[in-house]
Structures are given as C-alpha cells and as structure tokens.
Amino acid sequence: MTEQPNTLMNQDQKDASHMITPASTLNNKQTHNKQTDSEPAAPITPHPIFTEVNQRCLIAAEQLKRYSQPSLLPTDTRTAPDLDIGFGQQRALKALYTALDIHASGYHVFAAGENGLGKRTVISRLLSRIAADAPTPDDWVYVHNFTDPRTPLALHLPAGQAALLQQQVNNLWQQAKKRLSQRFRSDQYQSKIEAIKNDTHQKESHAYEALNAEGKQYDLALTFRSFDNKAVFVHPSQLPAEENPPLAHSTKMASSNKSPTATDKTKNTKHHADIHTDDDDNDNNVDSNNKYDDSEYSGREYEAELSNFAQKNHMQKRLSQLTIALEQLEDEANDAIEALHRNIARRALQPLFAPVYELFTTHPLVIEYLKAVFGDMVTHVERIVNGDDEEFVTALLATTPSRYAVNVISSHEPDSGAPVIFEDLPTHLNLLGHVEQITQLGTVTTDVSMIRAGALHRANGGYLLLEASHLLEHPYAWQGLKRALQSRKIKLSSLEQMLTLTGSLSLSPAPIDLDIKVILLGEADLYYQLLELEPEFDAVFKVRADFHDDVVRTHEHELALVGKMADIIDYAKLYPFDRSAQAALLEYLSLQAEDQDRLSLHSDLLIKLLHESNRQARLSGQNIVSANHVTQAIEDMDERSGYLRDLYWDELKNGQQLIQTQGSAVGQVNALTVVSYADSEFGMPARLTAVIQPNIGTGEILDIERDVDLGGSLHAKGMLIMTSYLRALFSQHHALNFSASLAFEQSYAHIDGDSATVSEGCALLSALANVPINQSFAITGSMNQLGEVQAVGGINAKIAGFFDACREQELTGQQGVVIPMANVKQLMLRDDIIAAVKAGSFHIYGVHTLNEALTLMTGLPIDTMNKKGRYRKETLFGKVLSRLMLWDENQDNNDDIDDKKSKKKANKKRKAKRQKKEDKRKAVKKDKDVTTDEHP
C-alpha cells in the first residue's frame, strides 16, 4: 500500500477492543492485557498447527540479502573489463539496428524507458560508432537568386566544398572590386571616354552650326538665355558686343557633355522694336527705350514685324527638333559608355572567374550560379565602382555584400562520417531553421545571408536525438518535425506569420532534401499517450526501442556493471574503487531493483553514488574508495532525503502516532505502508481497525477510506476482492447477518494500492471471531479471491519501517513481520535488521495464503473441519460461524419475546373491550328497571 504524505494530527482515540494475551506467545513473562469475559485465557502451550506454520514460514537470515563476493571482482576499477555499450539493453539495440537498416519512410525510433537509464548515452555512443563508417553527407549552401530575389537558391556540394565555395566567392568579390577600381581609373579608360565625348561634341557642334546658318537666312542668331541656359533665336542686334558667337557656346556645352550654357540677356539699344520668341512665350516684347509715335507706325513696318515673328517661330520649331536629336545623340553616347564599361568589366573579371570555374567544373549548378554572379557584376559595374549603393556595400559582420554572400547551411569534413546531433532545445526555429531580420531606420529587411540553419540541417544525412517531452513543450515543433519527416524536405517557414497571420515580407528559401534518422527519447507512458492522441505518430515513428530498468544478477553481468563503473570513473576522473566498494555498489543496485536476482541499470543513480563515495574517500585522505566510503555516502543520501520521515518518527516517539508493537487486540492490525513524496520514500506502520455491527445488514463492509475519497482505485479493488472472498467463505454456511467498517487510523492522505488486502482480511476476521491479533506483528500482502497471498512493492522499506518502530519502543524478541512468500526473493535488507534476525530479536515470515497469515497473527488453527464437514469450534472460522449463529439466535429470542408481548397486549385489549361491553349492557338494564318502577 502506498500512502501520500500528510501531517499527522493529535487525535485522542479510545481502543474499544479488549486486550488479551495472544495464543501465539512463547514467552510466559509477556505482559498480559485485560481479557473479555466471553474469551477463555489463552493457552500457554502453542497449538501444534501454529508451531508447524511458524516453522514452515519462518525465513532464515541467509535469505534476507544477497551479498556480492569481492574476491570474484577486479582488484580495483583500473583493471575492470572494457565497457559493453549495449549491456543489458539488447532488445533496444536490436530495434535500433532494425530501424537504421531500413531506409523507407517512417522508420524512425522512439526509445522508451524511465528517466535516468542513460538512454541518450547508450544511443549516442552506438550511433557514433555506426556513423563513423557511414558516408559523409553533402554540404548545403543558400545563395542569392538573381532571377527571383525572394526565393534564395539551395545548392549541395560534396563534403568540405561549401566552405571552399564561400571562400572563393569572397575572394572574387575582393579582387573584382580592386581590379575594377584600377581599370576605371586608368588613362586608357579616360582617353576612351574623352573620345566618346569628343565625337558627341563634334556632332552637336555641326548640328548647331547648321541650324545657326539656317537662322541667318532669316536674320536670326542662335543664343542661350543666361537664367535657364535655353537655346533661343534673337535678332543679331540683340546680341551683346562682347559675346562669343553661339557656336562657341555649343562647343563649350559639348565638351562638358551638358546642355549648352545661355548667354546674358540681350539689351536693346536701338530705336526700333525687336520681337523675342521662344518655346514658352510667343508674345512680342518691345524695348521700353524704343518709342514709336502712333502717327509714324505704318502698314509696311507692321507686315515686316509679322514676317519676322513667323520666321522666329519656324526656327524655334527647328531648334526643338534639334534638341530631340541631340538627346538621342546623348543616349547613344551613354550606351557607348555603358558598352565600354561592360567590355572593360568582362575583360577584367574573366581571368578571375576562370580558375573558380575549373574548381567546380563537375557541379553544373555551382557553375550556373557563378556565371550568374559574373553577369550581375558586369551589369552593375558602375554601382560596384562607385560604392554608393547599399546592395553593393559589404554587409554587417561580413566580408561581401549580401547579394554575393554564400550562406553555408551545413558543412562537413571530408570522410568524417555521418553527423550525430542532440538538440536540447527543440523549438520550431531550432529544428527547421529560420530567417533573421534586421531593422534599419524603421524598415525591416532581410537577405540570404540571414538564413539560419536548424538541427535538421546539421543532422541531415545522419542522426538526430530529441527528448520527446521537450519537443512537445514548444508550439508547432512537433508539427514542423512531422511535416519534414513525411515530406523528406526541410522547408523554412515564418513562424511569426503562422502565429500572427500577418503577411509581412520575408524570404521563401528553396527546400532542402532531407535524409535523416530521428530518435525520440521518452518514457513509455508518453509513448502510449502519443499513440492515442496523435493519429500519425505511429506512421512516423514505426519502431519502438524498449530500455530495461534492470538486468539479471549474474557474475558476468556484475563484471559488466563494474566495467560501466570504471568508464564513469575514468570520464569523471574519480579515484579508483576497490573490490569491496564494487561489491557494496552492486548490493545497492540490487536493493534499488528490489530483487536479489536483479541489478538496477539506472545510470543517474550510479553516477551520483560514485561521486559521493569519491568525496568520502577524499575527505578521509585516501586515494582509493572502499566499502566504508560507499556505505557512508548511502547514509548521507538517505539522511538528506529523510526530513519528512523524521517528522513521522518524531510523532511516533511523542505518542501522537498510535502504534502498538506489543500485546494483542481484537480487530486491530499493524499494516505496512510506504510513504512516497518527491524523491523521499520510506516505510511506516499504520494501525488498521475493523468494527462489526451485528444483526445489521447482510455482510456489507464499509471502506471508510474509499467513501471519503482518500482511497484509490487499486485500494478499492483490493477491498472488493477481500469482501468477495469472505462472502464466498461463510455465506454457504450461514447468512451474513452483520455489517462492518474498516479504516486506517490517523491517516489523512490519499491511500492507494492493494497491499493492505491481507491485513484488512485479518482485522475483519479477528473482529468477527472476537479473537485478538498479536500486535507484535505487522503484515503486508495482496490477496486474490481464492485467499492466496500475492507479492507487493516496497517490501524492504516496509520491513525497515516496522523494525525501526519496534526498536524505538523496545525489541522484545517476539516482534516481526508477515510478508508474502513471493517477496522473499526481493529482500535486500539493512545489515542491522539482518543482525537482529540472526540474534532472534526480530522475525520475518513468508506466507502463501491468508490462513497461514491468520495462524501466525492469532495462534489458532483456521479452517480445520470435523467429520461432518464443519469447522471445528476451536478454529477461527468455527468461532466466526458460532458468532453468526449466536447473533441469529439472539435475534430469534428477541423476536419470540416480542411476539409474547404482542399476544399479551392483544388479550388485554380484548378483555378490556369485553368488560366495556358488559358494563354497558348492565347500565342499559338498570335504566329499564328504574323506568318500570316509576310507571307501574
């Protein structure tokens, strides 16, 4: 029975049971308690059946613990055998090999086993050996997609080539920028640019000269306005005397490859009017100094002015046509310059790219990418040389612009084998990778250099280990892993968009092919939950590898465990352990396995004990660990986790916890429980009582713990099994004319487990038979419906708990525990308990049936029958039936008395009724006589 810890409260309780001397006592000097009047004094000589059961069930001290033989172990751990990685886990390793040999979809592994077994260490070491001989997977890089920048390209190369490509592209950028800068500063480049400009200048000059000559026919001169440098036609008289001819201005414009520069505004000094015409203003401007008298204004002059206006308009249109032709001429010049730039870039870059092409000639995709880089550099050579464009400026924390960055996602040393990766934080981002973003001046940007690899990228082509519980703690992590394993591709997606449902701009890198084996580590309960809640789990993780908690205790396995100890000691650089320390460790591991023939495989527990034993040796000034150091370390560990246990024992010492380890009592048993809380577990005796209510009910048994919701389902099951057994035992002989109740006294916490079934049966039968139970004994055990006693857990802690209670209240030599015989092989008791058993001051009994337990507890035969097939009166069952019949007779007598009283009362009522009628008749007769006298 397992009980959760609770604070024991002071509770005054009066024991209603009468205390008598148990029949099983062998000590005449034992204190006798008050007896009931209905029970005779217990015989001094024990019953032969009790003697026979006592001898048959008594467990010898040699059966209480299995010791290791130090002489068969290595002298110290330095001479221990080499570690066998798969020691004790052959089933799990076989499942792993099966999964690794099958390359079909879904053959990933769930390694099931308790925490602390060292699953990750075993699997990692195994995979490291396998991976060393496996082919090395390809490297993967992400590069800029010059066709679609939002979709970076994924390139795969042989192992070790990704870093080489990154280095070559970085060198290309550095050398290209340097060489281009040199070429564009050279005299040869400047002379070619001058030639293009001069040619353009000459063509512009000829065009202006031809247009100016055409204007002279209309007495117009080409000039340029000073305020906007715009070409216009004016009358030659409006040109300033010091002004150069218009062609000079056109020459100056062509040499600078700019539009011609306008001259200062012409001043009119004549007494005749000049009309100024341009593209924007066709109004006639008359000089304010030239005043005409209206009387002198003739028709001939008016016609001349109109003719001049039309001529100027015609020339302005010709000038506009020339401007368009000159713009085309400038475009041709710019195209020639761009062609020159590209030609220079090609001739400068081709020698740089040629050797890189040779390095990757067997990788067409890489060659295609390098050609795209070459073309992009040629196309944007001006922006590269000028260095004023962010796209062609070296990125932060990088040596190249992000446009030409080669982002290495996964890289491996050649012939290094397959990778083995353990991801301790399996978030969605850490598993599948992500795209980082940077904020500059309020703008969020990203590029190919900000793609970050995940665990799947690093383990691609190899093996990935994950803790299943950690994976399920992070949102979308399981969905992302499942999608990648099913599709066999790693596709980066924006988790931010998935969570916020926003459409923010982000990259969409091309997916990467995935070839991997994933091993999930977790407990078996989690595996079953995933099978139930995740329909596709079994389709993805088709192989389950079960890790065992313990191993059979043989000499070969002991040596293998010593090899495991030596491996841990070497890794942690601890002192060597001698053979006595090895034996003590093996015995402790057998105790943790709760079996003499098993050894625990919990690595965490072993590592902890090795370190603490090493500390004890260091404190004692020794450089080798012995059994004394191991024992002291175990005691220290037990003391650290014993705070709650000490609180219980303090209440037992102070009398707040009522436990009786001497004498006898009816319907009262010392049951054995295990209190578990966090990492603290210890045994404690608990008083179990049964109370009978005769002539009420039909054999119902009230489980108080269950009715107040303090009993678990297993506890309730044990109660029902025990109830069914008792009903089947007695209902065929007599009606069950009673009801009963069972309770654990001073228990205020949840109770579960069926290990109290036997003790409940003993308490109930004791109360039914009114036979006392020896309080010097404590009992534990489960029971089936046939009365057979079954094994229970925590047997060593339970025995130790009652032994400590007896020692606290003084050992009398009569105390002991009754346990299932099936638990004897699980005994690994403390040395002080074994010493007490050898000295005869404490006893341990193993029973197969409830009858044997009752014989030991009561000292009576249980179910001996006479020739008529009835239980003998001196047996326990005979006493139970006698009480059942006695209660029935008492009920019948009570019924007879009630019947007599009812008849007497009825007769009295009938007699009173007759008397009343007689009195009434006499009264009527008397009245008639009086009437006759008055009227004769």
Side-chain angles (χ1 to χ4, degrees):
M1 183 192 67
T2 302
E3 179 179 353
Q4 299 299 327
N6 62 285
T7 303
L8 296 180
M9 303 170 59
N10 250 339
Q11 181 181 7
D12 296 331
Q13 177 183 3
K14 296 182 178 179
D15 189 356
S17 304
H18 297 285
M19 308 298 294
I20 66 170
T21 303
S24 60
T25 181
L26 301 178
N27 188 355
N28 293 334
K29 297 182 179 180
Q30 183 179 359
T31 303
H32 292 268
N33 296 315
K34 186 176 181 180
Q35 304 177 12
T36 60
D37 295 336
S38 60
E39 286 294 326
I44 296 176
T45 303
H47 196 282
I49 293 180
F50 169 78
T51 303
E52 189 269 333
V53 171
N54 184 81
Q55 293 176 352
R56 185 177 70 245
C57 296
L58 184 65
I59 299 173
E62 292 75 17
Q63 298 176 270
L64 303 181
K65 186 176 183 179
R66 177 177 173 180
Y67 291 92
S68 295
Q69 299 182 17
S71 59
L72 300 178
L73 300 175
T75 306
D76 59 52
T77 50
R78 290 173 293 190
T79 60
D82 294 335
L83 172 66
D84 179 10
I85 295 178
F87 164 63
Q89 306 296 351
Q90 283 74 20
R91 182 192 300 271
L93 297 187
K94 185 177 180 180
L96 279 170
Y97 282 123
T98 300
L100 298 181
D101 288 341
I102 299 176
H103 298 286
S105 176
Y107 274 86
H108 304 282
V109 183
F110 189 100
E114 292 185 6
N115 290 331
L117 286 177
K119 301 187 295 293
R120 192 178 92 189
T121 302
V122 172
I123 295 176
S124 297
R125 291 189 174 185
L126 174 66
L127 293 180
S128 296
R129 290 186 177 183
I130 297 175
D133 299 328
T136 305
D138 289 344
D139 293 350
W140 285 90
V141 298
Y142 272 115
V143 294
H144 182 75
N145 187 347
F146 298 100
T147 304
D148 183 7
R150 288 196 67 250
T151 310
L153 300 175
L155 304 178
H156 64 92
L157 301 94
Q161 296 292 304
L164 178 62
L165 177 62
Q166 184 184 53
Q167 179 186 2
Q168 292 298 323
V169 173
N170 289 346
N171 292 338
L172 280 176
W173 164 253
Q174 300 294 338
Q175 296 177 11
K177 187 175 182 181
K178 181 179 179 180
R179 179 167 294 191
L180 290 174
S181 298
Q182 292 174 350
R183 293 292 177 89
F184 279 80
R185 288 198 303 265
S186 65
D187 294 338
Q188 184 181 6
Y189 167 76
Q190 295 296 334
S191 63
K192 291 182 179 180
I193 291 295
E194 283 296 328
I196 295 173
K197 289 183 178 180
N198 290 335
D199 181 60
T200 304
H201 160 65
Q202 291 177 2
K203 292 179 180 179
E204 289 179 348
S205 297
H206 292 319
Y208 278 118
E209 288 175 356
L211 186 62
N212 190 37
E214 184 179 352
K216 288 180 179 180
Q217 298 175 6
Y218 303 104
D219 196 20
L220 293 173
L222 184 64
T223 187
F224 300 92
R225 294 189 306 205
S226 61
F227 60 89
D228 62 357
N229 199 30
K230 188 172 185 179
V232 293
F233 279 97
V234 298
H235 194 274
S237 61
Q238 294 178 333
L239 293 175
E242 67 275 5
E243 187 183 56
N244 293 325
L247 293 181
H249 291 280
S250 63
T251 302
K252 191 181 296 184
M253 176 274 300
S255 64
S256 63
N257 201 24
K258 294 183 180 179
S259 299
T261 304
T263 59
D264 295 337
K265 188 176 181 180
T266 305
K267 299 182 179 179
N268 296 323
T269 57
K270 303 290 183 179
H271 289 285
H272 64 272
D274 246 340
I275 301 175
H276 184 86
T277 305
D278 56 23
D279 292 342
D280 300 327
D281 188 6
N282 292 326
D283 294 337
N284 298 328
N285 297 323
V286 181
D287 195 317
S288 59
N289 295 327
N290 298 326
K291 298 181 180 179
Y292 293 88
D293 189 77
D294 292 341
S295 61
E296 296 179 359
Y297 195 76
S298 65
R300 185 174 57 83
E301 293 174 341
Y302 178 73
E303 290 178 359
E305 187 175 342
L306 287 177
S307 176
N308 183 265
F309 177 79
Q311 294 169 355
K312 289 185 68 175
N313 253 350
H314 171 71
M315 293 308 299
Q316 282 297 136
K317 291 179 180 178
R318 294 281 293 123
L319 181 59
S320 297
Q321 294 173 356
L322 177 62
T323 303
I324 294 174
L326 292 179
E327 288 178 353
Q328 293 177 351
L329 187 63
E330 290 181 1
D331 290 341
E332 292 175 359
N334 290 333
D335 291 342
I337 293 174
E338 288 183 3
L340 174 64
H341 290 170
R342 293 179 182 180
N343 187 32
I344 293 174
R346 287 191 188 95
R347 287 185 295 171
L349 296 178
Q350 190 64 41
L352 300 179
F353 277 80
V356 182
Y357 290 153
E358 292 294 330
L359 286 176
F360 299 98
T361 185
T362 58
H363 305 94
L365 293 179
V366 177
I367 296 297
E368 184 179 347
Y369 164 70
L370 290 173
K371 289 181 178 180
V373 173
F374 176 82
D376 190 74
M377 286 186 176
V378 170
T379 302
H380 302 97
V381 60
E382 298 94 341
R383 300 165 70 180
I384 294 174
V385 173
N386 293 334
D388 55 356
D389 194 320
E390 291 184 359
E391 291 189 22
F392 298 90
V393 176
T394 301
L396 184 65
L397 302 177
T399 57
T400 59
S402 59
R403 189 180 187 87
Y404 304 126
V406 176
N407 189 353
V408 178
I409 297 300
S410 63
S411 179
H412 311 281
E413 292 291 333
D415 300 323
S416 61
V420 179
I421 303 297
F422 173 74
E423 178 56 56
D424 59 346
L425 186 63
T427 63
H428 184 277
L429 301 182
N430 290 346
L431 280 177
L432 288 99
H434 62 286
V435 180
E436 293 179 341
Q437 295 178 335
I438 186 172
T439 303
Q440 292 180 339
L441 301 177
T443 303
V444 179
T445 60
T446 186
D447 54 61
V448 68
S449 65
M450 297 184 187
I451 300 176
R452 296 293 173 258
L456 287 175
H457 295 95
R458 298 193 301 274
N460 195 8
Y463 311 95
L464 176 63
L465 279 72
L466 300 171
E467 286 285 352
S469 58
H470 297 171
L471 177 69
L472 299 176
E473 288 175 357
H474 302 286
Y476 297 96
W478 162 249
Q479 289 83 352
L481 177 64
K482 179 179 67 174
R483 183 190 65 185
L485 295 180
Q486 289 176 334
S487 64
R488 293 191 175 187
K489 290 185 180 297
I490 311 174
K491 184 177 181 180
L492 277 75
S493 59
S494 175
L495 185 60
E496 179 185 1
Q497 293 181 4
M498 296 170 62
L499 294 175
T500 61
L501 303 179
T502 60
S504 59
L505 180 64
S506 181
L507 297 180
S508 180
I512 291 177
D513 295 335
L514 179 63
D515 179 18
I516 197 173
K517 288 291 183 181
V518 178
I519 296 93
L520 285 184
L521 310 174
E523 296 191 354
D525 291 343
L526 182 58
Y527 176 78
Y528 294 128
Q529 291 176 10
L530 288 172
L531 280 181
E532 180 180 357
L533 302 177
E534 173 53 73
E536 296 179 314
F537 180 77
D538 192 33
V540 180
F541 289 87
K542 294 182 177 180
V543 177
R544 169 179 168 177
D546 285 306
F547 279 75
H548 296 289
D549 301 339
D550 50 36
V551 68
V552 177
R553 187 176 180 180
T554 63
H555 178 63
E556 291 76 13
H557 288 169
E558 287 186 341
L559 290 178
L561 259 177
V562 172
K564 182 177 180 179
M565 297 176 194
D567 181 73
I568 298 172
I569 291 169
D570 291 341
Y571 178 80
K573 295 181 172 56
L574 305 180
Y575 293 147
F577 282 58
D578 65 15
R579 53 180 42 159
S580 66
Q582 298 167 28
L585 288 168
L586 292 172
E587 293 164 7
Y588 183 75
L589 293 178
S590 191
L591 171 63
Q592 295 304 311
E594 288 195 342
D595 198 318
Q596 295 179 356
D597 298 329
R598 311 289 295 183
L599 291 167
S600 174
L601 294 176
H602 279 259
S603 298
D604 285 355
L605 180 65
L606 179 60
I607 292 172
K608 180 180 179 181
L609 186 54
L610 288 174
H611 279 275
E612 299 207 18
S613 301
N614 182 81
R615 173 180 176 270
Q616 294 295 332
R618 188 179 69 251
L619 293 178
S620 62
Q622 300 182 18
N623 57 7
I624 191 168
V625 183
S626 64
N628 293 332
H629 302 135
V630 176
T631 304
Q632 184 61 47
I634 294 173
E635 292 176 356
D636 287 352
M637 292 165 57
D638 186 61
E639 182 182 3
R640 286 199 306 270
S641 62
Y643 174 71
L644 186 62
R645 177 190 58 204
D646 293 342
L647 293 180
Y648 275 81
W649 285 117
D650 288 342
E651 293 180 346
L652 181 64
K653 296 174 184 178
N654 298 334
Q656 297 176 0
Q657 180 78 0
L658 300 179
I659 294 296
Q660 188 175 345
T661 60
Q662 300 181 35
S664 60
V666 175
Q668 177 176 302
V669 175
N670 289 324
L672 296 177
T673 65
V674 174
V675 179
S676 298
Y677 179 72
D679 62 341
S680 178
E681 181 176 290
F682 56 93
M684 281 287 296
R687 176 177 289 182
L688 175 65
T689 58
V691 177
I692 301 297
Q693 297 86 32
N695 301 325
I696 299 176
T698 57
E700 295 87 357
I701 300 176
L702 173 65
D703 181 8
I704 295 178
E705 310 297 333
R706 180 181 58 187
D707 286 3
V708 297
D709 293 331
L710 286 180
S713 57
L714 296 179
H715 174 75
K717 178 183 178 182
M719 277 290 302
L720 294 175
I721 289 175
M722 186 267 297
T723 302
S724 299
Y725 170 74
L726 292 181
R727 284 180 174 173
L729 194 63
F730 296 113
S731 59
Q732 59 182 333
H733 300 287
H734 196 278
L736 303 181
N737 52 352
F738 70 92
S739 63
S741 61
L742 286 166
F744 283 91
E745 307 296 343
Q746 293 184 285
S747 174
Y748 311 102
H750 189 79
I751 294 176
D752 201 3
D754 62 348
S755 62
T757 311
V758 174
S759 57
E760 289 167 342
C762 291
L764 184 60
L765 288 170
S766 169
L768 282 173
N770 197 29
V771 171
I773 287 180
N774 189 354
Q775 299 301 298
S776 299
F777 287 125
I779 186 169
T780 184
S782 174
M783 185 183 74
N784 60 24
Q785 294 189 104
L786 303 177
E788 297 171 335
V789 179
Q790 302 166 147
V792 295
I795 192 67
N796 294 288
K798 290 177 178 179
I799 295 174
F802 187 68
F803 175 79
D804 293 338
C806 293
R807 186 170 56 183
E808 184 64 33
Q809 296 184 357
E810 184 185 1
L811 289 171
T812 63
Q814 305 300 321
Q815 294 145 335
V817 294
V818 179
I819 64 172
M821 188 64 76
N823 281 118
V824 172
K825 281 293 184 180
Q826 298 176 352
L827 294 178
M828 288 294 295
L829 297 179
R830 299 193 318 239
D831 290 340
D832 58 339
I833 301 177
I834 297 175
V837 172
K838 288 182 178 179
S841 56
F842 196 74
H843 311 280
I844 298 177
Y845 297 92
V847 296
H848 293 92
T849 64
L850 176 63
N851 290 353
E852 290 179 341
L854 286 170
T855 299
L856 293 171
M857 301 292 284
T858 63
L860 296 178
I862 305 304
D863 57 353
T864 306
M865 292 187 175
N866 55 23
K867 295 180 181 179
K868 296 181 179 180
R870 297 178 180 178
Y871 295 120
R872 296 183 180 275
K873 293 183 179 181
E874 69 274 12
T875 64
L876 183 69
F877 289 173
K879 292 180 180 295
V880 171
L881 289 177
S882 298
R883 295 198 76 194
L884 293 178
M885 289 186 289
L886 177 62
W887 293 335
D888 197 21
E889 291 174 359
N890 291 340
Q891 182 66 35
D892 292 340
N893 292 336
N894 291 336
D895 292 342
D896 292 341
I897 294 173
D898 290 341
D899 291 342
K900 290 180 181 179
K901 289 181 178 179
S902 298
K903 291 179 180 179
K904 186 176 181 180
K905 188 175 182 180
N907 291 335
K908 189 176 181 180
K909 287 178 68 176
R910 287 194 295 269
K911 186 176 180 180
K913 190 174 182 180
R914 287 195 301 268
Q915 185 64 37
K916 187 176 181 180
K917 289 181 179 179
E918 183 66 24
D919 293 343
K920 186 176 181 180
R921 186 181 62 77
K922 289 181 179 180
V924 171
K925 184 178 179 182
K926 186 178 181 180
D927 290 342
K928 288 181 179 180
D929 292 341
V930 172
T931 303
T932 302
D933 292 342
E934 291 179 352
H935 303 282

